[in-house]
Structure formats: structure tokens, C-alpha cells
């Protein structure tokens, strides 16, 4: 599944492109994000200890409590650098006025509280090489690094009231090496989605990124042979002698409050069909493929705070050298 490190990597690629500098590699981002999480957990542990002392309580000992009452849950650390851009077909997300192949609607209400955005932007140190960072650190699991996935990269803008609007979304159903694929589509979705103007530096503070890795592609027995709560859907059909197609990522239909039939009709319209809604079953050779995808997202402030820590860490390392 997609991780926060994948989203941070997309942000780093975008910002580096705008600042005309080299971005960190995916492996470096994964390593440094893991270290940053460990730092935050360590600081949290110290804060909890200080609060215990201020309240007049010492550290809690296992012998003082029933072992079954102890909270042993831990937040797992979220967990690959090729610059080659693969030659692959690009699939665009829809907008209400667009007939392109689709993955998400152009404007949806923000339903996630994990974005962590604010309205203040700051410029990170941009001319420093970070290739020495993270090499001696504990490496995160390489499981995803050696795998390839079909993927979509989405950029949204978040208004002051928390309303989420599509700013760019492009992906592919061809399996991609994660490093090259995320780099390619982070930039393609930001600059080459023809429904939008290229993303500018002034917009960064309102941006949120979402990465979806796709799997489990299965031909549907019929167009309604899929699950609203689980599956994304890819359709194709013949209309006026042309083969058309479109897709929605998992959860899009649920976010929009659509039924299965409404989802099919919306997909067909995004692909270029102009018939009456009740006639959708009459189109020629309508086929559907269902799939699954686990996505992850983060906002500008999450990337900015992490990157500021990376910059500070690097400068401290340089000053000690």
C-alpha cells in the first residue's frame, strides 16, 4: 500500500522542480522519514515522563499493574532511484467539463483529517546536496522497493474552509518501478494535466498530495459486478465507431454518494458518451474491470515540517565536519 513517505517524495520532487534543484531519492526520503518519526516518538516519551514528574508520579512499573491492562499497541513506522521516465500511457482524472479518461471528480469535500495543512509557506534550503543523509541509518523494509505497481498521483488544493478541489491527477495501469513512477507522475500530474494550468510555487501552501497503488485487477462478469466500498472501476465501450474508456479510483463513488449505476453513467460521460442516462445498458460492448487500491495522503505542512528537520540536520552535520 502507499505510505506517507511516497507522498513526501512526491512533494520533494515537485518542490525541487520548482526550485530547480535535485530532489532526494525515494530511499533517502523513506530513511529520513523513519528517523523523523523516531525523533517525534522519543520527544513524546520524554514529554510524557516530564508530565508524570510534574504531577508527582514516577514512571509506571509493570509490577504495579495487571499485564493485561498495559497498552502495548505501537504506531508502526510507515515505510523504492531511477531518473528514467518510462514510456507509458497516461490516464487523467475527470472534471465535470472534461471527457478525458478519469480517476477522480474535480471537486470533492475534504473527508480526511490527516492532511495537516496551514496557510503559511516557507522556503526550504534549496541548494544543498542531501545524498550523504540516511546512508548509515537503519533501512526500512525494502518490500515495496523491489515491486512494481500501477499507480495514480493526485494533487488537490484545500481551501481555508477545508474544501478539497482537484488540481491534477494522472496515473497508469502499467506496473511502474515506484521511484521512477512516482517521480514521473508527480510532475506529470502537477504540470501536464491539460485541464489545469501548471502548479506554481505560490500554490504550495494549499496543496495536498495523494498516492494510490493499484492491484487485484479482475474482469467483471457484468458492469455492476463490483463493490462500492472496495473497488475502483475501469470501463470501456464502443460509441460512434470509437473505443472509449475511463476509470474511477476506489472510494470515489462512495465519496460522491453515487450508486453503481450512477457511477457507470458518470464514467461513460467522462469517456465521451452523450446518451441518456437510462440508455447506458444499450451501448455496444460495454466491459468493466474492477480493481483495488490503497492510498495515502499528506498536506504541505507535513512535508514542510519534515523537510525543515532534514535541512537542520544536514546543516548541523556540515558544521561538525
Amino acid at each position: 500500500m502507499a505510505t506517507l513517505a511516497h507522498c513526501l517524495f512526491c512533494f520533494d520532487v515537485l518542490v525541487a522542480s520548482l526550485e530547480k534543484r535535485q530532489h532526494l531519492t525515494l530511499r533517502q526520503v523513506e530513511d529520513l522519514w523513519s528517523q523523523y518519526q523516531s525523533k517525534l516518538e522519543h520527544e513524546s516519551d520524554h514529554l510524557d515522563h516530564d508530565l508524570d514528574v510534574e504531577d508527582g508520579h514516577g514512571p509506571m512499573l509493570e509490577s504495579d499493574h495487571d499485564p493485561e491492562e498495559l497498552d502495548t499497541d505501537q504506531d508502526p513506522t510507515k515505510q523504492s532511484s531511477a531518473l528514467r521516465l518510462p514510456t507509458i500511457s497516461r490516464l487523467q482524472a475527470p472534471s465535470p467539463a472534461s471527457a478525458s479518461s478519469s480517476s477522480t471528480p474535480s471537486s470533492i469535500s475534504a473527508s480526511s483529517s490527516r492532511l495537516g495543512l496551514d496557510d503559511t509557506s516557507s522556503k526550504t534550503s534549496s541548494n544543498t546536496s542531501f545524498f550523504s543523509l540516511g546512508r548509515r541509518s537503519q533501512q526500512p523494509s525494502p518490500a515495496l522497493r523491489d515491486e512494481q505497481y500501477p499507480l495514480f498521483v493526485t494533487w488537490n488544493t484545500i481551501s481555508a474552509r477545508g474544501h478539497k478541489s482537484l488540481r491534477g491527477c494522472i496515473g497508469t495501469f502499467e506496473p511502474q518501478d515506484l521511484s521512477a513512477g512516482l517521480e514521473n507522475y508527480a510532475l506529470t500530474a502537477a504540470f501536464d494535466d491539460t485541464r489545469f494550468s501548471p502548479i506554481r510555487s505560490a500554490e504550495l501552501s494549499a496543496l495536498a498530495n495523494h498516492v494510490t497503488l493499484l492491484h487485484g485487477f479482475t474482469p467483471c462478469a457484468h458492469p455492476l459486478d463490483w463493490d462500492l466500498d472496495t473497488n475502483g472501476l475501469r470501463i470501456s465501450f464502443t460509441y460512434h465507431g470509437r473505443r472509449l474508456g475511463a476509470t474511477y479510483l476506489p472510494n470515489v463513488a462512495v465519496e460522491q454518494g453515487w450508486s453503481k449505476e450512477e457511477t457507470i453513467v458518470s464514467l461513460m460521460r467522462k469517456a465521451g458518451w452523450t446518451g441518456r442516462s437510462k440508455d447506458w445498458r444499450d451501448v455496444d460492448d460495454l466491459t468493466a474491470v474492477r480493481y483495488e487500491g490503497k492510498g495515502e495522503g499528506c498536506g504541505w505542512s507535513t512535508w514542510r515540517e519534515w523537510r525543515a528537520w532534514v535541512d537542520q540536520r544536514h546543516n548541523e552535520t556540515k558544521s561538525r565536519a
Side-chain angles (χ1 to χ4, degrees):
M1 64 178 290
T3 69
L4 268 174
H6 296 152
C7 301
L8 294 172
F9 177 67
C10 290
F11 259 116
D12 208 65
V13 167
L14 174 61
V15 176
S17 177
L18 291 169
E19 296 182 351
K20 302 187 185 309
R21 61 169 173 81
Q22 179 63 48
H23 60 77
L24 297 174
T25 67
L26 178 57
R27 175 169 297 214
Q28 288 169 329
V29 171
E30 289 176 324
D31 293 345
L32 290 165
W33 174 245
S34 177
Q35 294 174 45
Y36 181 67
Q37 284 186 305
S38 297
K39 167 187 171 290
L40 294 180
E41 291 172 0
H42 180 72
E43 291 176 348
S44 177
D45 289 342
H46 273 277
L47 178 61
D48 290 342
H49 173 75
D50 291 343
L51 289 175
D52 284 340
V53 172
E54 289 176 5
D55 290 340
H57 299 290
M60 185 172 65
L61 302 178
E62 280 193 37
S63 58
D64 294 334
H65 298 270
D66 188 327
E68 294 182 357
E69 295 178 358
L70 296 177
D71 182 7
T72 59
D73 292 337
Q74 296 180 352
D75 293 333
T77 300
K78 301 200 173 189
Q79 306 295 328
S80 302
S81 183
L83 294 178
R84 173 177 52 85
L85 299 183
T87 304
I88 44 188
S89 61
R90 291 166 177 170
L91 299 170
Q92 293 184 339
S95 68
S98 169
S100 62
S101 184
S102 312
S103 68
T104 57
S106 64
S107 180
I108 47 183
S109 175
S111 58
S112 171
S113 60
R114 295 179 295 177
L115 295 173
L117 294 168
D118 58 36
D119 296 326
T120 307
S121 64
S122 66
K123 186 175 181 64
T124 62
S125 175
S126 60
N127 298 316
T128 313
S129 172
F130 288 90
F131 291 106
S132 62
L133 290 178
R135 289 179 179 171
R136 294 187 295 273
S137 64
Q138 182 68 31
Q139 301 294 320
S141 170
L144 290 179
R145 291 177 181 160
D146 299 327
E147 296 183 19
Q148 296 185 330
Y149 285 89
L151 58 88
F152 273 77
V153 176
T154 303
W155 295 104
N156 294 303
T157 55
I158 312 298
S159 71
R161 294 187 176 183
H163 183 75
K164 181 166 64 175
S165 298
L166 184 66
R167 190 62 179 84
C169 180
I170 298 182
T172 179
F173 288 112
E174 287 191 34
Q176 302 293 299
D177 169 79
L178 280 178
S179 180
L182 290 174
E183 177 184 357
N184 184 22
Y185 285 101
L187 295 177
T188 303
F191 300 133
D192 297 331
D193 189 329
T194 57
R195 297 161 300 154
F196 305 96
S197 61
I199 289 176
R200 299 170 294 109
S201 298
E203 300 176 72
L204 289 173
S205 63
L207 278 185
N209 174 264
H210 196 272
V211 172
T212 308
L213 305 184
L214 311 179
H215 64 93
F217 291 84
T218 305
C220 298
H222 53 82
L224 300 180
D225 179 29
W226 54 284
D227 186 77
L228 273 171
D229 296 319
T230 304
N231 298 129
L233 192 67
R234 181 184 186 183
I235 67 165
S236 61
F237 57 96
T238 301
Y239 185 58
H240 292 334
R242 296 175 55 208
R243 194 68 184 170
L244 304 177
T247 189
Y248 278 147
L249 295 175
N251 297 325
V252 168
V254 173
E255 290 177 355
Q256 296 301 306
W258 292 333
S259 67
K260 288 185 179 182
E261 290 198 18
E262 289 171 331
T263 303
I264 295 290
V265 171
S266 178
L267 275 174
M268 292 173 64
R269 296 208 184 284
K270 298 307 177 185
W273 181 67
T274 58
R276 295 181 299 179
S277 297
K278 66 178 182 178
D279 296 333
W280 71 267
R281 296 176 185 269
D282 298 331
V283 300
D284 294 332
D285 195 21
L286 174 60
T287 61
V289 175
R290 64 179 183 264
Y291 59 88
E292 298 179 33
K294 295 298 184 182
E296 185 62 84
C298 79
W300 164 255
S301 65
T302 300
W303 176 84
R304 190 189 62 182
E305 291 167 7
W306 166 79
R307 182 66 196 219
W309 172 81
V310 172
D311 288 349
Q312 180 182 15
R313 182 178 182 273
H314 177 69
N315 291 336
E316 290 174 351
T317 300
K318 282 183 61 179
S319 66
R320 292 195 297 267

